[in-house]
Amino acid sequence: MGNVESYLKKINFDKNFEKIKRKLKNKSVLIYGTGELFQYIHSYYDICSLNIIGVCDSKYDDNDYNKLFLGHKIIPKTKLENYNIDAVLVCVKEYIGVVLNLEFGLYKNSKTKIYPVAKIPFRELVKKLWTR
């Protein structure tokens, strides 16, 4: 988890997370991604002000529906269309593909907003894409 801690420090997560929490105040939020990044944030940051209606991850299937992960209801991707969600908070380091898939897939014609929880600064993003 030390790797996650240094990553979050590098991208100035503390400041940006406070902005996200203000933006999502009184909104229904789905967490997408329940791996190391979300687990670290859940353990070390106050997420109580977020109205989290559930968590989703590609590893969950219909058998996991309504089970709990860290106290949050699991919603498999196959069930997401049944929920009216204001925002999806993407909790994966490599978030670009996930954000694009959600924005141009399931939520293409909806008002649901998609936000990466740990957004890489634009300069770093360009550098990362350029070196691939």
Side-chain angles (χ1 to χ4, degrees), residues 54-98:
V55 295
C56 183
D57 199 303
S58 60
K59 64 187 168 199
Y60 300 129
D61 61 26
D62 289 349
N63 294 324
D64 298 310
Y65 189 47
N66 283 330
K67 291 181 182 175
L68 296 179
F69 179 77
L70 298 177
H72 303 287
K73 182 169 124 178
I74 295 173
I75 305 171
K77 288 173 72 172
T78 58
K79 304 287 187 194
L80 288 178
E81 62 195 24
N82 300 332
Y83 291 84
N84 185 13
I85 300 165
D86 294 316
V88 176
L89 195 53
V90 178
C91 292
V92 297
K93 280 186 184 180
E94 301 293 329
Y95 62 84
I96 296 170
V98 175

Side-chain angles (χ1 to χ4, degrees), residues 8 27 41 53 74 82-85 88 91 101 112 114 117 123 131:
L8 293 177
K27 306 280 186 199
I41 292 167
I53 58 109
I74 295 173
N82 300 332
Y83 291 84
N84 185 13
I85 300 165
V88 176
C91 292
N101 282 333
T112 302
I114 315 296
V117 71
R123 184 183 311 178
T131 58

Side-chain angles (χ1 to χ4, degrees), residues 9-10 25-26 31 41 55 69 86 92 109 112 115 129:
K9 186 175 275 192
K10 178 181 176 183
K25 186 176 183 170
N26 300 321
I31 301 295
I41 292 167
V55 295
F69 179 77
D86 294 316
V92 297
N109 295 315
T112 302
Y115 300 99
L129 292 172

Side-chain angles (χ1 to χ4, degrees), residues 9-24:
K9 186 175 275 192
K10 178 181 176 183
I11 63 169
N12 199 15
F13 177 76
D14 291 9
K15 180 180 173 186
N16 292 325
F17 190 55
E18 290 305 314
K19 288 180 188 177
I20 288 172
K21 288 194 303 187
R22 281 192 302 274
K23 190 179 287 189
L24 298 179

